[in-house]
Amino acid sequence: GLRPIAEIQYLDYLLYGLQPLSDDVSTLQYRTCGKQACPLIVRTRGHRLEGIWHSGSPMGMIINALRGMHICVPRNMTQAIGMYNTLLQSNDPGLVIECLNGYRLKEKMPSNLLEYTVPLGVPDIIRTGDDITIVGYGSTLRIIQEAAEKLALKGISCEIVDVQTLLPFDIHHIIKNSLKKTNRILFVDEDVPGGAAAYMYNQV
């Protein structure tokens, strides 16, 4: 009944574990028609794109190579806790990419720490608005929120959506419904061109 949690110090180092994660962990349930499961959780951190070491963000590679795993991109440690709790209750493998900049935040610890869960594949609308939908994940959400405050002073109303998980992605079409309301959308990420933002744009 235990669930292994493997630690990979930085997101860059996921490359060293990519083959077994892609070829075995991600596909085991599919290959065995659901008869076998690999409830492995991989914990890592990244997205920073600062400096020359440990700052990569190979999200395009991860999204395309790890179909079959949940890819969680929490905006803070509270959301990360909820994602870990959700994954621990299932037989599905998952990758939780904590944001390095999130360690600098002071957060109030939830009173229901061990019970708090976050549904996977369901974005969180963290600010409602009417003029533009801004979609992001991880530590970019704090930058987006600061920008939205400044834009509000100029009369521009921003709706901010945290995707929370890239796999699965928006299973209830929350972003699409937001776009129907605002008619404008902007995707923000901390990735190389053609990475997670391109994936989110394609999905929506």
Side-chain angles (χ1 to χ4, degrees):
L2 298 178
R3 296 289 186 271
I5 301 178
E7 169 82 13
I8 295 181
Q9 187 177 17
Y10 294 108
L11 187 58
D12 312 62
Y13 300 154
L14 192 75
L15 285 162
Y16 294 101
L18 189 63
Q19 193 279 329
L21 289 174
S22 178
D23 198 41
D24 298 316
V25 174
S26 297
T27 62
L28 183 63
Q29 288 199 52
Y30 172 75
R31 290 179 189 224
T32 63
C33 296
K35 294 177 183 176
Q36 291 182 322
C38 182
L40 168 71
I41 299 171
V42 177
R43 175 181 184 237
T44 187
R45 57 207 54 81
H47 301 314
R48 199 164 53 174
L49 293 182
E50 296 175 3
I52 59 173
W53 303 112
H54 320 314
S55 59
S57 184
M59 295 306 297
M61 175 196 73
I62 291 167
I63 292 164
N64 288 292
L66 300 184
R67 301 292 171 103
M69 288 185 72
H70 297 297
I71 308 298
C72 304
V73 283
R75 66 180 179 267
N76 55 38
M77 295 307 118
T78 303
Q79 295 305 100
I81 288 167
M83 292 172 185
Y84 283 119
N85 287 338
T86 301
L87 289 169
L88 285 166
Q89 294 173 9
S90 79
N91 280 327
D92 297 331
L95 172 67
V96 180
I97 308 171
E98 300 170 6
C99 45
L100 273 165
N101 294 342
Y103 296 144
R104 304 170 188 169
L105 298 178
K106 291 186 182 294
E107 298 180 49
K108 185 177 180 181
M109 185 180 292
S111 58
N112 59 339
L113 188 68
L114 298 179
E115 292 79 35
Y116 176 62
T117 58
V118 171
L120 306 182
V122 182
D124 186 15
I125 298 177
I126 58 178
R127 182 187 179 109
T128 58
D130 299 308
D131 295 325
I132 185 170
T133 299
I134 307 178
V135 181
Y137 62 86
S139 55
T140 60
L141 270 301
R142 294 191 294 283
I143 299 169
I144 295 168
Q145 286 174 298
E146 290 173 8
E149 294 288 344
K150 294 177 181 178
L151 289 169
L153 299 176
K154 298 180 180 293
I156 300 171
S157 173
C158 301
E159 182 143 299
I160 303 174
V161 183
D162 176 7
V163 299
Q164 303 207 99
T165 62
L166 291 167
L167 290 175
F169 185 84
D170 194 8
I171 58 176
H172 301 309
H173 310 294
I174 289 170
I175 299 171
K176 179 182 174 183
N177 292 332
S178 175
L179 177 57
K180 283 181 179 178
K181 179 175 70 170
T182 65
N183 289 309
R184 298 177 184 88
I185 194 163
L186 173 67
F187 297 95
V188 180
D189 70 352
E190 290 181 302
D191 200 10
V192 296
Y199 165 78
M200 293 188 292
Y201 173 82
N202 182 58
Q203 291 292 308
V204 174

